[in-house]
Amino acid sequence: MNFDLAWIDYAVMAVYFIFVLGIGWALKRFMKDANAFLEAGRSMPAWVAGLAFISTNLGALEVMGMTGSGAKYGLLTAHFYWVGAIPAMVFLAIFMMPFYYGSKARSVPEYLKLRFDEKTRGMNAFMFAAMTILASGISMYALAILTEKVLGWNFHVSLIVSAAIVLGYTYLGGLSSAIYNEVLQFFIIVIGLLPIVFLSLKQLGGWSGLEQALAPVAIQNNFAADAYTTTWKYTGSGGSNPLGVPWYGIFMGLGFVLSFGYWCTNFLIVQRAMSAESTTAARNTPLIGALPKMFIPFLIIVPGIAALALMNLPGSGFSLPVNAAGQPIYDYTIIALLKQYLPAGVLGLGITALLASFMSGMAGNVSAFNTVWTYDIYQSYIRPATGNKEADDKHYLFVGRMATVFGVLVSVAAAYLASMFGNIMDFLQTIFSMINAPLFAVIFLGMFWKRSTGHAAFAGLIAGLTIAFLHHGLTFPAGADTLVKGGWIAKLHEYPVEMAQNFWTAIYACFTSALVTVVLSLMTKQQKTDEDLKGLVYSLTPKLQESHVVWYKRSSSLAILVIAIALLLTILFW
Amino acid sequence: MGLDIKYPIGLMFTILGIMITIYGFATINDTTLYQKSLGININLWSGISMLVFGIVMLVLSKKNKKEE
């Protein structure tokens, strides 16, 4: 799995990184206060925020993982998009953004502070800060290990250089720089990966050729002939589809708990919409993002499915690299495809696209970290605002910049930690999947039920997390070889696949959290008056009027369009 | 922010487009290079698409400036 890059490939890479740093440099002169640096001055047009919104999620690990899942599960992977993202994005846009944006909270933890209390915010802020910085470190580690294996670059040099580039542009231009570069990354990913979609499908004879090539593969694995090229058709029971999850598991676990937990409460994502220039733009951000999002499966999952067909096609010359146990390494599917099809020139674009998505993943994490650190930790617990606005602004801008440097340094440390403990990545992904589901239950109740109280929310979060840990400790996926995957207390229940275990962990955590929050809210006294909660709770906030906006720019029209296209795709690929 | 992102996007893709298109023309008779891409000069196609996209973005950003 080695690439020999030609001069033209390096030239393409160089041009891209000059622009990345150049954008940071060009934005430097606008960074006059903390608001400009940490919140992009709330000035982003909806389309820019919208592309950044999905680009943040389109990190390299996502791209590699989704192409790999395409090769493993076939078109069922598209569930992560059509049911696992779109409904949550529409919900966030229509029902939640008015409160996130309208409350003037500068972060999700700050919303929790305004709506509930300090301890709820504190817990969320510390957990979020620790998690994002570790996530950034893992991105860095994955980038360095990939470039070492594939490009033959030195691990340490890749790590330090990529950290330096990320630090360079986020230090100079803050959140705006991160967002602009995410938009740039979005376009380079699309343009860099389109050739492999086109070429792999061409070799197989288009979509129908792909279907034909996969029929024997599916039958060989005891599935119906079209199991790899359909989405809902064989989800009547878990055993009859490659994903191993029945329709209600997909619907509840992925479509509801996991995706609402991720898209509606993860500050990394929500921050993009909060940087928009107006309430309407903030609502439109996830909707505009949803439009390209629905088509991303064709860009990154379809090549994975094609890879599965090619692997089983005699004479195609395509194979995946294998690990020591002789099992194919699915995460390397996209790399294998790049190697198979791309000659010098476009190969540089493809590699640049991957590197770009790694770095923007880091930059996204760092820019969310410095906001939470500066506003929710430093300003709340270390040095509150003095009241002198000008001096405060300057001071917090400085702190934000220092947090950026600190964040990148800790990420590098985390990357080295990851290189020492192979399991740390699995471990962290497990934890990520646990913290979002309870948070969604609490924020949802906070926004739509004015009676929910701070004490109850805090207890609800803790209860949800506890149940998530317990469930994970008591169950395990089939074939688990390490305790990181579960069963570290006792092995009470076995799930057929890891995905099923994740789904159920999230479902139990979410409902426990909701139940505890509701019960305790009824037992405790509401500390906040209706006046305090105005702008934070649905029933106490004046409805947003859209009549002054042209109909095609209204969030409601956009939402209907998004839902219609998602339904159409679902039916077409049923 | 006072920077219109369409401008750097347009500029970058125009430059990349020109580079890849020229490379595509320079290698137009290199059949071994394009064996991988099923005999298609994929650089030419990609390069021209990027160039078109880049120019459209530049034009849009110019238009934006005028309106302001």
Side-chain angles (χ1 to χ4, degrees):
Chain A
M1 210 34 45
N2 246 313
F3 286 100
D4 286 320
L5 294 189
W7 63 269
I8 181 84
D9 302 318
Y10 287 111
V12 167
M13 231 177 265
V15 169
Y16 180 79
F17 286 114
I18 288 169
F19 270 87
V20 164
L21 288 170
I23 286 176
W25 185 254
L27 285 167
K28 189 177 154 230
R29 61 195 165 101
F30 300 108
M31 298 299 127
K32 295 210 171 72
D33 52 28
N35 164 283
F37 188 75
L38 298 170
E39 298 169 78
R42 292 212 164 189
S43 63
M44 289 291 160
W47 74 272
V48 173
L51 287 180
F53 187 90
I54 54 158
S55 200
T56 315
N57 173 254
L58 199 60
L61 293 175
E62 164 94 1
V63 173
M64 291 170 68
M66 283 297 157
T67 313
S69 295
K72 226 170 165 174
Y73 308 121
L75 196 61
L76 273 104
T77 311
H79 283 313
F80 283 90
Y81 290 79
W82 299 334
V83 66
I86 302 304
M89 288 168 84
V90 171
F91 186 83
L92 170 69
I94 298 298
F95 296 105
M96 296 178 83
M97 269 335 286
F99 307 106
Y100 278 140
Y101 193 88
S103 67
K104 299 277 176 265
R106 295 165 298 185
S107 65
V108 170
E110 194 166 54
Y111 176 83
L112 289 171
K113 149 89 181 161
L114 295 172
R115 174 61 186 84
F116 295 116
D117 53 16
E118 186 60 59
K119 61 179 180 299
T120 313
R121 180 250 285 268
M123 180 164 78
N124 182 245
F126 280 104
M127 271 169 51
F128 180 82
M131 287 293 138
T132 26
I133 223 62
L134 286 172
S136 155
I138 284 185
S139 254
M140 253 178 219
Y141 164 71
L143 173 131
I145 203 90
L146 184 77
T147 52
E148 184 183 38
K149 274 192 192 154
V150 171
L151 301 174
W153 296 352
N154 180 286
F155 178 86
H156 306 282
V157 173
S158 307
L159 193 67
I160 303 301
V161 169
S162 58
I165 292 177
V166 169
L167 179 61
Y169 73 84
T170 44
Y171 183 88
L172 287 170
L175 179 63
S176 318
S177 191
I179 288 180
Y180 279 178
N181 276 307
E182 279 156 7
V183 175
L184 202 62
Q185 175 227 340
F186 174 79
F187 289 115
I188 199 106
I189 285 207
V190 173
I191 291 173
L193 299 185
L194 267 180
I196 60 167
V197 181
F198 171 72
L199 291 170
S200 60
L201 280 180
K202 184 168 165 45
Q203 185 169 8
L204 289 160
W207 183 257
S208 59
L210 176 68
E211 283 177 324
Q212 273 171 28
L214 282 171
V217 184
I219 290 165
Q220 195 189 332
N221 290 325
N222 294 322
F223 298 120
D226 52 352
Y228 285 111
T229 46
T230 53
T231 52
W232 290 104
K233 198 171 174 185
Y234 298 104
T235 52
S237 75
S240 54
N241 68 72
L243 194 61
V245 183
W247 65 271
Y248 51 87
I250 294 171
F251 205 77
M252 285 301 293
L254 187 59
F256 182 63
V257 179
L258 281 180
S259 78
F260 280 70
Y262 178 80
W263 292 99
C264 302
T265 66
N266 190 336
F267 178 54
L268 178 60
I269 302 289
V270 176
Q271 187 181 31
R272 270 65 199 152
M274 286 168 94
S275 74
E277 59 193 354
S278 66
T279 313
T280 307
R283 282 181 102 192
N284 286 350
T285 294
L287 298 169
I288 290 174
L291 291 170
K293 177 87 184 165
M294 287 185 274
F295 296 94
I296 287 176
F298 300 110
L299 189 69
I300 64 179
I301 297 174
V302 167
I305 309 174
L308 176 65
L310 289 166
M311 273 190 284
N312 292 284
L313 196 70
S316 76
F318 179 84
S319 67
L320 286 184
V322 290
N323 63 15
Q327 296 292 319
I329 308 173
Y330 284 104
D331 279 350
Y332 275 42
T333 309
I334 190 110
I335 310 283
L337 286 165
L338 289 175
K339 191 175 167 64
Q340 173 90 354
Y341 288 114
L342 300 189
V346 280
L347 178 62
L349 276 178
I351 299 276
T352 305
L354 273 187
L355 292 181
S357 59
F358 270 117
M359 288 194 198
S360 85
M362 292 179 232
N365 280 308
V366 169
S367 61
F369 167 81
N370 60 20
T371 306
V372 167
W373 167 263
T374 307
Y375 289 146
D376 294 301
I377 298 176
Y378 186 79
Q379 194 176 37
S380 312
Y381 299 105
I382 300 173
R383 184 186 174 281
T386 55
N388 177 349
K389 200 180 168 320
E390 209 172 304
D392 278 346
D393 257 349
K394 258 212 170 99
H395 180 73
Y396 293 123
L397 171 63
F398 172 75
V399 172
R401 284 217 150 110
M402 287 306 115
T404 309
V405 177
F406 174 75
V408 171
L409 290 178
V410 179
S411 305
V412 172
Y416 276 105
L417 200 69
S419 74
M420 281 183 277
F421 304 101
N423 270 333
I424 201 167
M425 266 170 97
D426 287 336
F427 176 68
L428 279 169
Q429 269 159 2
T430 309
I431 295 197
F432 291 140
S433 72
M434 289 180 185
I435 57 175
N436 284 335
L439 187 59
F440 175 70
V442 165
I443 293 185
F444 179 84
L445 285 169
M447 276 182 184
F448 297 99
W449 190 41
K450 67 175 186 170
R451 184 68 185 77
S452 54
T453 68
H455 293 318
F458 186 72
L461 279 181
I462 291 183
L465 279 173
T466 313
I467 289 293
F469 275 99
L470 279 179
H471 181 261
H472 186 257
L474 291 170
T475 61
F476 64 103
D481 45 3
T482 105
L483 291 182
V484 171
K485 306 227 182 247
W488 37 270
I489 303 172
K491 295 193 170 170
L492 288 188
H493 182 75
E494 178 180 327
Y495 285 106
V497 286
E498 209 176 321
M499 200 87 76
Q501 185 197 23
N502 283 341
F503 285 6
W504 287 109
T505 302
I507 291 172
Y508 284 123
C510 182
F511 285 100
T512 308
S513 193
L515 188 73
V516 169
T517 309
V518 169
V519 172
L520 287 184
S521 288
L522 294 172
M523 288 162 63
T524 49
K525 194 172 166 301
Q526 177 61 280
Q527 308 283 338
K528 306 244 174 189
T529 62
D530 280 6
E531 195 49 39
D532 292 339
L533 295 178
K534 205 175 154 203
L536 299 166
V537 179
Y538 188 76
S539 60
L540 299 173
T541 307
K543 297 286 162 294
L544 215 59
Q545 290 304 322
E546 280 202 309
S547 45
H548 63 285
V549 185
V550 246
W551 68 270
Y552 59 86
K553 281 188 178 169
R554 284 180 203 164
S555 308
S556 44
S557 332
L558 262 172
I560 292 169
L561 178 71
V562 167
I563 292 168
I565 301 178
L567 280 176
L568 189 71
L569 286 170
T570 304
I571 294 166
L572 276 178
F573 293 93
W574 186 266
Chain B
M1 283 307 112
L3 181 73
D4 179 14
I5 182 67
K6 290 199 259 347
Y7 181 70
I9 291 177
L11 195 61
M12 187 184 85
F13 280 104
T14 306
I15 294 174
L16 288 179
I18 292 172
M19 281 165 59
I20 301 281
T21 310
I22 291 177
Y23 190 76
F25 271 116
T27 53
I28 206 153
N29 293 318
D30 191 343
T31 44
T32 39
L33 182 69
Y34 293 112
Q35 225 164 29
K36 276 183 162 185
S37 52
L38 316 172
I40 298 166
N41 190 328
I42 192 83
N43 281 325
L44 214 48
W45 288 103
S46 278
I48 291 170
S49 323
M50 282 197 284
L51 193 56
V52 171
F53 175 68
I55 290 170
V56 168
M57 278 298 193
L58 282 179
V59 169
L60 285 175
S61 87
K62 271 266 152 58
K63 213 180 121 214
N64 223 28
K65 218 170 196 175
K66 263 191 196 150
E67 275 168 15
E68 276 169 22

